[in-house]
Amino acid sequence: MLIREKFHKIIDEIDDEQKLQGFYNLISRLSNSENGALYKALTKAQKEELDIAYEESFDKKNLIDHDEIKSKYAKWL
């Protein structure tokens, strides 16, 4: 089954108009979004903070173990 057919099948099986509207909005935004648009929308200060965080991520002492994060936020997963 082609991906287009799978989309149509999912859409045809949804009876909830609000859910359909949500899916439409999501797909529409993804389809219309320009690559890099989120980064371009950041302020200069936000971009600088992001750059700092990126650089700090290369130092292992700044990282948190994956299992620790999973257990901390397990109730939301």
Side-chain angles (χ1 to χ4, degrees), residues 23-36:
F23 284 132
Y24 172 79
N25 291 342
L26 175 63
I27 292 170
S28 179
R29 273 187 251 135
L30 289 172
S31 147
N32 294 328
S33 69
E34 177 186 330
N35 200 12

Side-chain angles (χ1 to χ4, degrees), residues 12-75:
D12 290 341
E13 292 174 354
I14 297 174
D15 292 329
D16 183 340
E17 192 67 26
Q18 283 184 309
K19 189 181 280 188
L20 279 173
Q21 185 65 49
F23 284 132
Y24 172 79
N25 291 342
L26 175 63
I27 292 170
S28 179
R29 273 187 251 135
L30 289 172
S31 147
N32 294 328
S33 69
E34 177 186 330
N35 200 12
L38 180 60
Y39 184 80
K40 290 175 188 174
L42 297 176
T43 66
K44 183 179 178 186
Q46 289 170 322
K47 288 177 183 176
E48 289 172 358
E49 183 66 29
L50 185 60
D51 289 339
I52 290 168
Y54 176 73
E55 289 301 322
E56 289 176 347
S57 74
F58 288 102
D59 186 347
K60 292 211 183 277
K61 72 176 183 181
N62 293 324
L63 302 178
I64 301 172
D65 183 67
H66 183 252
D67 290 330
E68 182 180 339
I69 294 296
K70 277 177 44 178
S71 66
K72 184 176 180 178
Y73 296 103
K75 62 183 171 188

Side-chain angles (χ1 to χ4, degrees), residues 1-14:
M1 183 181 296
L2 298 173
I3 192 68
R4 207 175 276 274
E5 293 169 338
K6 290 178 182 179
F7 268 118
H8 285 284
K9 185 176 186 299
I10 290 171
I11 291 167
D12 290 341
E13 292 174 354
I14 297 174

